[in-house]
Amino acid sequence: MKKRVLIFSLAYYPHFTSGAEAAIKEITDRIDPSKIEFHIITLRQISSLPKEERMGNVFVHRIGLSAKQPTFEDLGRWPLDLNKPLYQFLAAWTALRLHRREPFDAIWSVMAHSAGVPAAIFKLRHPKIPFVLTLQEGDPPEQIERTMRPLWPLFSYAFTHADRVQAISGFLGDWARRRGFRGPLTIIHNGANPKDLHEQIPLEEIEAAKRAIHKQPGEIVLINTARLVHQKAPDITVRALALLPAQVRLVLVGDGPEEEAVKMLAKELGIADRVFCTGRIDRSRVTAYRKAADIFVCPSRSEGLGLAFLSAMASRLPVIATQEGGLAEYIFDAKRNPDRRPTAWAVDVDHPEQIAAAVKDILDHPDKTAQITETARQMVMTSYNWDIIAKEMEREIFHPLWAPSSL
């Protein structure tokens, strides 16, 4: 019989999405809707979006405050900044109402710090309904725990009363254990953007992206396709750019609260004309921007796994990154990881001079660069492929909820 699964996620398509939301879509799109019917409760944010609609294999239920055309920065300002605390309880109330209308067979929270509390409330009311907790967090666990102090009992309950936990990295799996989870824990990574994996980008789209970023012959373009937030350290990449020759430029794809600060820093360093921020770009177009660039740079201060890094590797871009959090599970550097085949150039947190040195090494050694980028792509194809991941989620996470004997 078809099962019904309710997802809690603070954000979802079509706007303000990142790796966690992409994971929901990529997984649900690949699961037979005759087997599992997915519903999601998420924030509306934009008033033109319908309160309910079907997107792929997901029935979307949108709640909370909205505005006509909010920017990323608007989400952190009055009144939309009330949405995050409101969601914790409004999502739970909506879930209970939907469950009364037609019962769910399981609930699934994507990210404990934003969706664990409503699931905990639902679980308190319906303890026999299986509960899956997925950990996709990119912020440091200590920072998340400080943020969740006002709702600490419910936040902790989400860990201790989950029936299964899926983490996208061993780093986050360890966090679940520290938070008191004692049940079945499964590490299932996120995947790279399918367009990067399958290389289905027409040449005209790549050329259009080059025009959009004003790429000139002979230029070297550094790119970052992650959100412009402190965690991703765009300021450090800008400082590294100041140490590099004038023909090297930086393109930051996407938006975020750090955008204006990045532009101000570039102006202070005298390189404003070498830093280009695209603003918000639809995920379907991001691969073309990667293909238009030369080197992916993102010296994250914290990372749960890092979907943007994997997608860059799938696109055969050389990657410069730290080894913080989940990145250490696949960012292997020739000098720092002599026992592993190198997949990237690793740098320390907040060290722009190391980024500059890595860029120079990539440009000076094209044969080595080609070998490392091909190794990275093959690793992603084998271990970070959404087709494989969706099957693992169905087999290792969802099916055991209703067939315990299969464990």
Side-chain angles (χ1 to χ4, degrees), residues 339-361:
D339 57 329
R340 305 296 296 263
R341 294 184 67 188
T343 59
W345 284 256
V347 296
D348 293 323
V349 172
D350 295 340
H351 277 71
E353 72 282 356
Q354 293 182 13
I355 297 173
V359 170
K360 293 174 183 176
D361 186 60

Side-chain angles (χ1 to χ4, degrees), residues 389-406:
I389 291 165
K391 290 178 181 176
E392 289 181 341
M393 286 293 295
E394 189 170 8
R395 182 182 65 249
E396 304 294 333
I397 302 298
F398 296 123
H399 181 65
L401 296 177
W402 308 297
S405 60
S406 66

Side-chain angles (χ1 to χ4, degrees), residues 50-264:
K51 293 184 178 181
E52 293 189 341
E53 68 172 320
R54 180 168 183 166
M55 302 181 70
N57 190 22
V58 178
F59 291 87
V60 183
H61 307 268
R62 297 189 179 97
I63 60 174
L65 304 173
S66 61
K68 187 174 181 180
Q69 291 290 341
T71 65
F72 196 102
E73 289 74 18
D74 290 335
L75 303 187
R77 301 179 184 135
W78 174 271
L80 295 184
D81 62 341
L82 295 174
N83 265 329
K84 286 187 178 180
L86 281 174
Y87 180 83
Q88 309 302 310
F89 301 98
L90 186 56
W93 180 84
T94 304
L96 292 169
R97 176 175 57 82
L98 292 173
H99 184 70
R100 285 194 298 270
R101 183 195 305 172
E102 189 173 356
F104 293 104
D105 299 290
I107 57 172
W108 176 21
S109 284
V110 180
M111 295 206 293
H113 80 281
S114 57
V117 167
I121 296 171
F122 185 96
K123 185 73 171 176
L124 281 165
R125 290 290 303 273
H126 299 283
K128 293 184 178 180
I129 302 295
F131 166 34
V132 174
L133 175 63
T134 285
L135 299 179
Q136 292 257 3
E137 277 79 352
D139 292 328
E142 298 78 13
Q143 177 184 329
I144 294 169
E145 290 168 3
R146 287 195 297 271
T147 302
M148 295 306 298
R149 281 293 173 187
L151 297 172
W152 191 253
L154 290 170
F155 177 67
S156 296
Y157 191 93
F159 283 93
T160 57
H161 287 75
D163 293 279
R164 304 188 75 86
V165 166
Q166 175 243 334
I168 61 172
S169 65
F171 169 74
L172 290 173
D174 292 341
W175 183 44
R177 293 303 189 200
R178 293 198 304 273
R179 290 264 42 87
F181 178 69
R182 297 293 178 261
L185 171 64
T186 307
I187 307 299
I188 300 177
H189 304 296
N190 273 356
N193 189 315
K195 285 195 173 184
D196 295 277
L197 285 171
H198 303 305
E199 300 185 303
Q200 298 172 339
I201 299 298
L203 182 60
E204 54 266 28
E205 287 190 29
I206 299 173
E207 292 301 319
K210 287 181 180 180
R211 291 192 296 272
I213 64 175
H214 313 294
K215 186 176 184 181
Q216 301 299 316
E219 283 186 340
I220 300 298
V221 172
L222 313 181
I223 193 168
N224 188 349
T225 58
R227 292 173 303 141
L228 293 178
V229 293
H230 176 77
Q231 166 209 344
K232 306 291 183 180
D235 56 315
I236 300 302
T237 307
V238 171
R239 292 187 183 280
L241 184 69
L243 305 175
L244 290 163
Q247 71 268 26
V248 182
R249 293 176 58 235
L250 172 63
V251 173
L252 299 169
V253 177
D255 59 1
E258 294 293 308
E259 183 172 344
E260 289 306 315
V262 163
K263 290 178 180 178
M264 288 296 297

Side-chain angles (χ1 to χ4, degrees), residues 285-357:
R285 298 170 54 204
V286 173
T287 296
Y289 281 79
R290 276 192 282 265
K291 291 288 187 181
D294 301 287
I295 302 172
F296 180 89
V297 183
C298 186
S300 290
R301 296 177 169 110
S302 173
E303 203 70 58
L305 182 70
L307 185 56
F309 302 82
L310 296 170
S311 297
M313 289 177 168
S315 289
R316 292 190 174 89
L317 277 179
V319 170
I320 300 172
T322 65
Q323 294 180 314
E324 294 299 301
L327 292 174
E329 297 178 27
Y330 63 90
I331 296 292
F332 304 131
D333 179 271
K335 295 180 179 178
R336 299 170 186 238
N337 307 97
D339 57 329
R340 305 296 296 263
R341 294 184 67 188
T343 59
W345 284 256
V347 296
D348 293 323
V349 172
D350 295 340
H351 277 71
E353 72 282 356
Q354 293 182 13
I355 297 173

